[in-house]
Amino acid sequence: MNRKALAILMRTRMRPTDPNKLSMSPNRIQSSFESNLFGEHGTSSPKNFDSSSNPERGLKFVQEALHSAITLSKTDIIDEVLNDFSQGYFNLSYENRHELLLVLSREYDVSRVQLRELIQQYLSLDIPSIEVKKVMVEGEKAQSSDHDVQALLSAFYRTERNLRHALQPKYETLFERLNTHPGGLKFLTILRNDLLSMLQEENSAPLRALDSYLKEKLVTWLSPAALELHQITWDDPASLLEKIVAYEAVHPISNLIDLKRRLGVGRRCFGYLHPAIPGEPLIFIEVALLKDIAQTIQEVLWDSPPTPESQATCALFYSISSTQPGLAGINLGKFLIKRVVDLVKRDMPHVSVSTLHPLSVPDSTMFATLSPIPGYMQWLLAKLTSQRKLAEADTVDEPHSEETSSSTFSENILQPEEETEILGSSSGYTSGRNGMDVMWNLLTSTNYEWTSSPKLMSVLQPPLLRLCARYLLLEKKRGKALDAVANFHLQNGAMVERLNWMADRSEKGICQSGGIMVNYVYRLDKIEENAQSYLSEGRIQASCDLQRYVEKQQ
């Protein structure tokens, strides 16, 4: 794709009246990739295969190709078999893919009969511990005199080797061969994406085991040593820039000018590329070079003119996007952030701590984010809904004992002064029995009318910020932050620095978090310490201001 074609693509993307002609979404890119994955290597579609006209025959063909890809040892035909399997897989319906992966997970798993026999064989071997010790101590003399002990030791080693081999599922051969096959690594990410979708629909132990094994393989193959850090610029091929437009998941790129600004002066964009998936970053991060930590995404995206880079004192990470859904759960972002920090620090040593907000270590080098809080509003509305139901149950006239009263689980998540303000300012907009009723009605109103009323925004601001601090610092799942973005940055060693009111006024921002965004700060001298305390103890480091928010509600 040339740059003119990219410009046409971007203009098409901006036509709201023609939604079918928008820029290629990740799913559409994947579909396009599936149809051309192996064609670019000069191979053809599988012979005598047409899954659309005969789905059952198509599934059988792919199953046969799968079996051959795992069992054949002739290297001269492995590539052709892998092409048949991969192209055939893409031609299958979702239901038939499901059936095929079930076959793969069950019939090409560990051979438990063989494993049990080897375990029994291992347990039957008996070497007196004193004899083993004697062999280890006396060395060659003992080895020459204790041939029986040596034979038994050899049997142990041989059986242990066979056990290790037996514990490897047969589908490992398929994964290993695909990884070295042109286009195979990308294919495996698509296959895992299908697996993740299927696991959301059913709790299948064989599929879970298959996914877990494939994930372990991908973690190994996508280690930082195998990845190339690439700074993405306006001079890169249009095909790569198209991927940035399509996969930007946090703040959509609105037009060609927006894209050029994000790659221009005062901005950086870095991506991790893998040699087996050329021209397509697995993950990329966007950085703004600013004088201070930004409080709104508007000032980041529409900073004109941008801050002269020689005056920048803060590197702000404002968007990080993964391009491969099949790599979910593989934390490439952690390594990407660390590499980018090192690179920016090397190239721009004057980028250091911001003076916008006092920090406890004013002379430490600092990098920050302006991050969304995607789960906040969902959590808050669920909390309001449950508390409204409990309050309604408590008003029922039927007598009930103190032990069974729903008030045991009730809490008014609004402070008295907040409830008074909300009830007094909602006249003409909505009504309710209490402040939680009114707040729920306002937050779920059509088109978010409350954001157009300065009066309502002023009374909603204190409780929304306070409850957001509670959500980020106190609400946890399995001992870690409930919010996915918070968990990502905290496990990477960041601290929660500041909440920003109306930092993202887009519909997505209002829907996800009431427009609130958060600054996470990476202090280089504290990253490892913060990460370790969070991962081992679930401890969240936060600024004094945020700590004061939550101290009021504990």
Side-chain angles (χ1 to χ4, degrees), residues 421-432:
E421 289 287 337
I422 290 174
L423 289 172
S425 302
S426 60
S427 178
Y429 292 95
T430 188
S431 60

Side-chain angles (χ1 to χ4, degrees), residues 458-472:
S458 67
V459 299
L460 287 174
Q461 181 176 354
L464 286 179
L465 287 174
R466 178 179 59 80
L467 291 167
C468 189
R470 166 181 168 175
Y471 170 71
L472 289 174

Side-chain angles (χ1 to χ4, degrees), residues 498-513:
R498 180 182 58 200
L499 294 178
N500 302 293
W501 177 249
M502 283 295 134
D504 184 357
R505 293 176 174 268
S506 68
E507 181 178 351
K508 179 181 179 181
I510 299 296
C511 178
Q512 286 187 340
S513 61

Side-chain angles (χ1 to χ4, degrees), residues 3 10 231-235 241 244-245 251-269 286-290 297-307 309 318:
R3 209 163 296 281
M10 294 299 298
Q231 181 176 346
I232 300 164
T233 71
W234 185 248
D235 295 327
L241 299 184
I244 301 301
V245 174
H251 304 293
I253 298 173
S254 55
N255 52 43
L256 206 58
I257 296 174
D258 186 13
L259 174 63
K260 193 169 186 178
R261 182 186 293 111
R262 298 193 194 197
L263 303 177
V265 176
R267 300 292 182 269
R268 298 289 189 274
C269 183
E286 296 173 69
V287 187
L289 304 173
L290 306 169
I297 194 60
Q298 288 81 15
E299 62 187 283
V300 174
L301 298 180
W302 305 107
D303 180 23
S304 184
T307 301
E309 294 189 3
Y318 65 93

Side-chain angles (χ1 to χ4, degrees), residues 141-419:
K141 181 179 178 181
Q143 291 178 18
S144 61
S145 59
D146 295 331
H147 295 292
D148 292 341
V149 172
Q150 292 302 313
L152 285 171
L153 279 174
S154 297
F156 259 99
Y157 292 136
R158 183 171 58 254
T159 307
E160 287 166 352
R161 183 178 63 249
N162 292 337
L163 272 170
R164 286 194 296 271
H165 181 74
L167 282 169
Q168 296 173 342
K170 296 181 182 67
Y171 46 68
E172 181 189 46
T173 300
L174 176 68
F175 297 158
E176 293 282 359
R177 288 177 170 180
L178 280 169
N179 180 51
T180 59
H181 184 70
L185 183 60
K186 174 71 176 183
F187 170 78
L188 287 171
T189 68
I190 296 172
L191 186 146
R192 182 165 186 258
N193 186 40
D194 288 344
L195 270 173
L196 293 173
S197 299
M198 293 166 191
L199 286 171
Q200 289 180 347
E201 300 169 1
E202 66 171 296
N203 186 20
S204 167
L207 285 181
R208 283 202 314 273
L210 179 65
D211 171 66
S212 177
Y213 202 87
L214 178 54
K215 179 183 175 182
E216 290 177 5
K217 287 293 182 182
L218 290 171
V219 167
T220 301
W221 296 328
L222 298 175
S223 67
L227 300 174
E228 173 195 352
L229 180 66
H230 175 69
Q231 181 176 346
I232 300 164
T233 71
W234 185 248
D235 295 327
D236 274 310
S239 58
L240 188 150
L241 299 184
E242 182 205 11
K243 302 284 194 310
I244 301 301
V245 174
Y247 286 115
E248 166 55 68
V250 185
H251 304 293
I253 298 173
S254 55
N255 52 43
L256 206 58
I257 296 174
D258 186 13
L259 174 63
K260 193 169 186 178
R261 182 186 293 111
R262 298 193 194 197
L263 303 177
V265 176
R267 300 292 182 269
R268 298 289 189 274
C269 183
F270 298 93
Y272 260 151
L273 282 78
H274 191 281
I277 310 178
E280 182 171 354
L282 304 181
I283 187 171
F284 61 92
I285 189 169
E286 296 173 69
V287 187
L289 304 173
L290 306 169
K291 289 184 178 180
D292 301 305
I293 303 177
Q295 300 183 67
T296 71
I297 194 60
Q298 288 81 15
E299 62 187 283
V300 174
L301 298 180
W302 305 107
D303 180 23
S304 184
T307 301
E309 294 189 3
S310 60
Q311 299 177 22
T313 60
C314 173
L316 188 89
F317 306 139
Y318 65 93
S319 177
I320 184 166
S321 301
S322 173
T323 67
Q324 312 297 322
L327 299 183
I330 300 175
N331 193 355
L332 296 179
K334 171 183 179 180
F335 304 109
L336 178 59
I337 286 178
K338 288 185 176 181
R339 288 286 304 278
V340 170
V341 164
D342 290 341
L343 189 60
V344 173
K345 183 182 176 184
R346 184 195 69 193
D347 293 346
M348 306 186 70
H350 55 283
V351 172
S352 59
V353 72
S354 168
T355 59
L356 177 66
H357 196 72
L359 296 172
S360 58
V361 190
D363 58 345
S364 63
T365 302
M366 183 273 300
F367 293 78
T369 81
L370 182 62
S371 298
I373 315 169
Y376 172 47
M377 197 55 63
Q378 180 182 7
W379 168 83
L380 178 57
L381 291 177
K383 194 78 173 174
L384 287 169
T385 298
S386 64
Q387 292 304 315
R388 290 168 68 226
K389 289 181 178 179
L390 290 173
E392 183 179 350
D394 273 346
T395 62
V396 176
D397 293 334
E398 295 180 5
H400 49 260
S401 67
E402 186 175 329
E403 288 79 7
T404 60
S405 172
S406 60
S407 61
T408 305
F409 307 98
S410 297
E411 66 166 323
N412 190 344
I413 64 176
L414 295 174
Q415 295 180 349
E417 63 273 16
E418 294 169 347
E419 181 150 18

